[in-house]
Each structure stands twice: as C-alpha cells, then as structure tokens.
Amino acid sequence: MTQTTTQATMSNASLPHASFPLQLYLITRRTLVTIFRTPAALIPPIAISVFFLVIYNSTLGKASSFIPDLGTNNYLGFILPLSIVSSSLSGAGVAAQNMVRDIETGYFDKLLLTPISRAALLMGPILAGALILGLQAHIVILVALLMGLKSATGIAGLYAAIGLAVLLGTGFAGFTISAALGSGSAAATQGASFIFFPLTFLAPTFVPLNLLSGWLEVAARINPITYVLEAMRAILNQGWDVATLGRALLACALLGTAMYALAVVALRVRTRRR
Amino acid sequence: MELQSRCQSNREIYVEALAKQYPGGVTAVDGVDFQVSAGQVFGFLGPNGAGKSTTIKILTTLALPSAGFATVGGYDVVEQAGDVRCISGVALQDIGLDPLLTSVELLTIQGRLFGMKSAVARKRADELLELVGLTDAIGRRVSTYSGGMRRKLDLALALVHQPEILFLDEPTTGLDPAARRDVWTEVRRLNQSLGMTIFLTTQYLEEADELADQIAIIDRGKIQIQGSPARLKASVGTESINVAFEDHVQAERALQAVGTSFPGSRLDRDTLRMYMNGAAQVIPQVLKQLQGASLNPISLTLTQPTLDDVFLKVTGQSLIENEREPQLQNEPA
C-alpha cells in the first residue's frame, strides 16, 4: 500500500503558538503537578532505595574490609551510589506512567491538536522525571548523611552525585517513555521499566570492578551504570577524579542520546496520520 | 466576549468523493460529498459504525483520507493541517481530559499553547467556564466531574483558541436528557451569537432535528440523503399511517397485502408505516385491504413523518433502537 503519511504534530510556523521554552515549561510543570497529585506513585521508589541502603549496609557493612579506597567512609560510601541509581531508575518510570495515562485518557491527542512541538511533548515529561529523581536522590543522600556518610569532596561532591543520577535517570526516562509511546499501555510500560533493574546488578554493584571476572566483568564494562557507580564512589570516598567523572558523563550522554532518539522514533510512529 | 479570530478562514467545509479504507480492506467512508456553508449547523446522522467518526477525524486532521478531497475553512485537510487546526475546534467522542487537573489549569495550558499570554489565557478560561456554566466547579479536579460536566469542559477546551468552525463528535452520547438539553442550548448559542459553523455527528434523530440546518444521513460509509430537516421529512410524504401488529410476521403479511397499492410502505419491526399525502382519505381502504387478508391491527395512528421515517425509508432500518438503549457514561471515579 502506498498511502501517504504525515505527522500529526506538524504545524505551520507562522500560526500563533507558544515559544519552545514556554511549551517546555508548560508541559514540564503540568507533568510535575500531576505527579505530585498522585504521591502514592512517588513514595515506593524512595522507600525502596532507603530500605536497600539500610539493609545492604547492615548485612554487608561488617564484611567489607576487602573493599579498597573507602577513605573515611565505611561500606556505606560504597553502597550508597547503588541506592541512588536504583532510585533514579524507578523515578524515571514515574514520568512514563504519566504519559501512558495521558494516552489512555485521550489528553495526549488533545495536546496533539494544539500547535505544540514534538520535542516539547517528549522533553517535558523527561525533564519532569529528571527533577523528580533529583529530589529522590536528595532524600536518599540525606538518609545516608544521617547514617554517618562523610563526602570526601564536600557538598559539591554530593551535588555532583545527584547530577550524575539525574543524567542517568534522564536516559532511563527516554527509554520508559519510548515504551509508553510504543505500547500505549500501562502494563507494558511498567514491564519495560523492569528491564533496567537487572542492569544495576550487571555492574560492580557489591564489589569493585577489578574484583569481577568472566562474563559479568564483560557485561559490567559495557553497562553505563558501571561508570556512574564508579564516579559516584570516587567522588564520595576519595576525591575529585576527572577521568572517572569524564567516563561517567560520557556514558550518560551516550545512553541519553540513544534513548532520546528511540523516543523520537516512538513519538513519530504514534503521531503518524494514517 | 472579545472574539478576534487568530487565523483567517471562510468558515466553510467542502468535501468531495472522500473515502477512507483501513488496512485490511474495511471501508469506513465510501465516496462522500457534502458542503457546509458559513454559519450553518450541519448534522451528520447515522448509526454506530456508519463512518461518522472517521469523517470527523479526517476533517480535523487526525486521520488521512484514502481518496478524495476536503477543505475546512478553505484549507486542505491533508496539506494545510496546521491552518485547519488553527481555525477549527474539536470535541471528540472520547473526551480527552486529564482527571488530575482542574478546569482552569486545562484551559490555561491550552490557551498558552495557542500563543496567549498568561493573563489572557486565564481570562479566556474564566469566560469559557462562564459560557458553558461550569463556574461553580472552577477549582475542582476533573475527576470529580459528572459525565455532563466533562462534556461541557471538553466543549470549552475546543473553544479556547476562538475557532470559526467547531467539530462535535456525538456530543451528547451517554448524557442524561437534562445534560443533553444543556449541550443543545450551548451549541445553538455558539452558532447564533458567534456565527460559528458547526459540524456535528449524532446517532440521535431528535438532536439532528433540533439543531441542524442541514442534515446528511450516512449509512455504511455512504450518504443516503441530505437536505434540511423539513425537506427530508417532506420527501417521505406529509403524513404517515402507522399500523401496529402483534408480531413481525403479521406486519410482514400486511406489507404484502397493501404494498402494491401503497408503494410508500415500509416495515419497522411490528409496525407498518405508510408514507403519503392525504392519508385520512385512504384509511378506510387500508383497513379494508387488511381485513381482506384477515389481519387484525392492534392500533392505527396517523402522524407526521419524523427523521426516523426518513431514515427508515432510505436505509430500510430504524435508528430509534439506538435511542432506546443509550450507553451510560462513566460517572466520576
């Protein structure tokens, strides 16, 4: 069949419409408002992250003398990054759940009938997701500070860790939003969010990378989470390590770009007029 | 209300040989032609699955036609989708509202996306809530709204950017009679006070009769007949003799008995409807022929044709069935 297709979001630039930054602001704010009006979706990710932090620290903390470079911190400084990363994973799912709801209620179609740019439709929820998981990372770090964490790089280092979590989470958000757009179903989106869960364990999760071997080491080396965990650990326990930080930023950038591209394709498919 | 159009249009709709075939070979719309003049209310009447929603989706740029040509406000629905959206407002059958937001939030977001400044969008939201009579529910989330209130808010959202042409896809399906009347009043007001052209689909005969200046009856993807309600009704004859029987079998035998002398006769379940002019004079003859076939009617009435009679005559089926079993709209969750 040689049917022509055009994009439903296509709009004529000369027609009255909001500027791109304003569109992005409106969609992001609106997504945040709806997320905060369903607080039940926000609490489990934070609770689980804090739970893991406490459990891992108390079960493995005493037997962790083999882990080098912990500085003034104990095992807490090693396991905290895992907790932050897992909270950004689940936090990223919140934005996608919001988008699925929009598709199900038909509000998404309503937005498509306005002169809104495709990029704002995608980046709004991703940005909202990033802000949410930044907030979650704050809470997890606050709990760790109460448990006795000392950052080797001070407040700046803590914020660097949060920044990394946000960047990593943005990539996850791109993926879960692609799943939301592709499936239009809450169950499928939920399922897609779980794909990243094993990834947190195909990494130097409980021991440093140099103690891994065989297939797990190979998997860990191509897993972007590995580099984020290593950078966070270096920042928290040792000090600024530009090379490690650079690798983490690069890993986040690659993941983020790839996932955003995927989301763009998913949105194109969803909004194609047939 | 200050109504300055944001985009220019001739407020007309023109549709020529429009067709839509879905993958798999289902033909939803099969070569439809019609024209809506500026300021008219056009009623697109037909049963479920007749092709009404597909037509409205093509005209509002949500779907592409497989063949044919259509302009809305003078703009091609395929090539000038952005302009079509700028001049038209759409309230689809599936109401697209975010239940977690309030009416003001939904309306201001919509207004600002259409390029209004914050204060202007807020003012517009207040005007529209006033217009559709939702000012009492102003700070409440949509999740607390009844089906009728949601319809009204959806209508308000369609009006935010001051469209000149309004598309309403079954605006009262699932509403109770009181809410339905409210929507009718609203549609009439928009048409009369703002001169808005309104394209409305419905499966309710009464609705088309009440609101529309022009009606097209669509069935199985094709327009069966079109014209003003008065003309359509006159086309079946000025009167209708309705003879009701015990069952369908008897009614069918009655049709055989009188069908040749009265070619305007149609079967509507257990009732034989005979359309003609000067019906009063022929009633004795009808009764005589029925008695001759030893058929005993339960009742005989003389009425003026309704749009359902028109529908029955052109499609061979009645639409009334749909009105007897309204689908119920979900109440607030």
Side-chain angles (χ1 to χ4, degrees):
Chain A
M1 194 157 59
T2 58
Q3 201 176 14
T4 48
T5 51
T6 29
Q7 293 302 123
T9 42
M10 180 179 61
S11 62
N12 192 326
S14 67
L15 300 172
H17 66 277
S19 66
F20 179 75
L22 179 60
Q23 291 180 19
L24 189 58
Y25 164 73
L26 288 168
I27 298 299
T28 307
R29 192 185 64 173
R30 180 259 153 185
T31 308
L32 286 173
V33 165
T34 51
I35 289 173
F36 281 113
R37 284 182 190 172
T38 42
L42 281 178
I43 292 159
I46 298 177
I48 288 170
S49 296
V50 170
F51 174 78
F52 277 149
L53 185 65
V54 174
I55 290 294
Y56 287 146
N57 191 49
S58 34
T59 51
L60 300 172
K62 304 278 187 312
S64 60
S65 50
F66 62 95
I67 295 174
D69 307 326
L70 283 179
T72 58
N73 283 318
N74 49 21
Y75 192 67
L76 182 64
F78 184 81
I79 206 68
L80 173 64
L82 172 68
S83 197
I84 297 174
V85 164
S86 67
S87 85
S88 48
L89 266 162
S90 41
V94 173
Q97 291 299 335
N98 211 57
M99 187 174 266
V100 163
R101 216 170 39 79
D102 284 350
I103 292 170
E104 284 174 347
T105 59
Y107 187 61
F108 193 74
D109 282 340
K110 185 129 287 181
L111 288 175
L112 282 179
L113 282 168
T114 68
I116 191 171
S117 81
R118 204 174 299 144
L121 266 181
L122 274 187
M123 287 167 68
I126 291 177
L127 197 58
L131 290 170
I132 290 293
L133 59 91
L135 187 74
Q136 291 178 339
H138 270 87
I139 294 172
V140 173
I141 285 179
L142 193 69
V143 171
L145 287 172
L146 292 174
M147 287 167 70
L149 177 80
K150 302 234 172 3
S151 167
T153 49
I155 297 271
L158 293 176
Y159 273 95
I162 292 171
L164 281 174
V166 169
L167 285 178
L168 184 68
T170 305
F172 295 148
F175 176 78
T176 50
I177 278 173
S178 305
L181 287 166
S183 67
S185 126
T189 306
Q190 188 87 44
S193 316
F194 282 120
I195 289 181
F196 276 106
F197 189 63
L199 281 189
T200 50
F201 295 98
L202 297 175
T205 313
F206 299 112
V207 296
L209 187 57
N210 55 18
L211 295 181
L212 296 178
S213 61
W215 66 270
L216 189 57
E217 190 197 350
V218 175
R221 284 198 187 281
I222 54 171
N223 184 354
I225 292 174
T226 298
Y227 302 98
V228 173
L229 287 178
E230 291 204 318
M232 286 182 181
R233 282 168 186 164
I235 290 167
L236 292 174
N237 304 315
Q238 292 159 265
W240 296 106
D241 178 345
V242 177
T244 311
L245 190 58
R247 276 199 297 274
L249 289 173
L250 183 66
C252 289
L254 288 176
L255 179 76
T257 309
M259 292 305 138
Y260 186 74
L262 185 67
V264 168
V265 173
L267 181 65
R268 268 177 190 278
V269 171
R270 172 153 292 275
T271 59
R272 184 173 292 149
R273 282 201 281 167
R274 290 165 222 273
Chain B
M1 186 188 301
E2 50 179 298
L3 200 137
Q4 53 185 69
S5 288
R6 304 174 68 79
C7 298
Q8 292 300 310
S9 107
N10 64 13
R11 295 192 287 138
E12 292 174 3
I13 302 172
Y14 179 81
V15 173
E16 190 184 303
L18 198 71
K20 177 72 183 180
Q21 203 165 19
Y22 284 109
V26 178
T27 303
V29 178
D30 191 7
V32 158
D33 301 280
F34 62 86
Q35 211 170 336
V36 183
S37 334
Q40 247 185 6
V41 179
F42 188 85
F44 212 43
L45 179 67
N48 275 330
K52 303 189 298 291
S53 289
T54 303
T55 307
I56 227 168
K57 281 198 173 119
I58 294 171
L59 294 180
T60 55
T61 77
L62 283 171
L64 286 174
S66 315
F69 173 75
T71 60
V72 169
Y75 298 107
D76 187 308
V77 296
V78 177
E79 302 297 334
Q80 295 166 296
D83 296 273
V84 170
R85 284 177 203 176
C86 189
I87 54 125
S88 50
V90 189
L92 291 175
Q93 204 176 331
D94 300 318
I95 304 173
L97 300 174
D98 183 343
L100 292 173
L101 296 181
T102 67
S103 51
V104 172
E105 287 168 336
L106 280 164
L107 288 163
T108 47
I109 290 172
Q110 188 93 352
R112 299 204 72 192
L113 287 175
F114 273 102
M116 295 178 194
K117 294 249 179 291
S118 175
V120 177
R122 177 58 217 247
K123 188 163 162 265
R124 181 85 185 130
D126 288 338
E127 282 171 2
L128 288 168
L129 289 170
E130 172 100 44
L131 181 79
V132 299
L134 281 179
T135 36
D136 292 347
I138 211 154
R140 275 164 52 191
R141 292 185 197 171
V142 173
S143 54
T144 66
Y145 282 25
S146 69
M149 291 164 79
R150 287 178 197 218
R151 282 273 175 206
K152 287 188 196 171
L153 179 57
D154 201 46
L155 185 60
L157 272 168
L159 299 172
V160 167
H161 59 296
Q162 297 161 336
E164 300 195 330
I165 301 176
L166 184 62
F167 291 92
L168 303 173
D169 194 7
E170 304 205 6
T172 64
T173 296
L175 294 189
D176 61 59
R180 187 175 294 177
R181 294 241 157 236
D182 278 357
V183 172
W184 289 356
T185 310
E186 218 34 74
V187 168
R188 252 187 240 113
R189 186 153 49 156
L190 291 169
N191 173 248
Q192 283 160 12
S193 61
L194 303 179
M196 213 175 266
T197 304
I198 296 174
F199 181 94
L200 153 114
T201 73
T202 181
Q203 43 178 315
Y204 301 125
L205 299 151
E206 196 193 352
E207 184 160 292
D209 207 357
E210 278 276 333
L211 294 175
D213 302 312
Q214 291 288 316
I215 288 174
I217 292 180
I218 184 169
D219 190 36
R220 285 167 291 227
K222 283 189 159 71
I223 289 184
Q224 307 293 332
I225 191 169
Q226 55 181 316
S228 69
R231 238 195 63 203
L232 293 184
K233 285 186 259 185
S235 74
V236 295
T238 51
E239 285 145 344
S240 163
I241 302 174
N242 314 295
V243 197
F245 292 93
E246 286 278 354
D247 53 38
H248 186 77
V249 180
Q250 282 199 42
E252 213 159 285
R253 280 176 51 208
L255 179 65
Q256 283 162 10
V258 303
T260 41
S261 356
F262 301 99
S265 302
R266 293 285 183 281
L267 209 57
D268 180 8
R269 290 181 296 277
D270 303 344
T271 304
L272 178 69
R273 300 193 193 279
M274 307 162 73
Y275 305 110
M276 64 189 73
N277 299 322
Q281 286 85 37
V282 303
I283 288 178
Q285 192 193 336
V286 171
L287 286 173
K288 206 169 149 196
Q289 289 192 6
L290 290 174
Q291 276 160 2
S294 35
L295 286 161
N296 296 311
I298 299 172
S299 74
L300 184 146
T301 56
L302 185 62
T303 55
Q304 293 192 318
T306 63
L307 280 177
D308 194 45
D309 295 313
V310 177
F311 196 83
L312 182 66
K313 193 174 174 189
V314 297
T315 68
Q317 51 171 320
S318 169
L319 250 188
I320 293 285
E321 206 60 343
N322 287 318
E323 300 196 12
R324 287 190 189 134
E325 295 162 36
Q327 301 142 279
L328 285 176
Q329 182 117 352
N330 288 340
E331 281 304 298

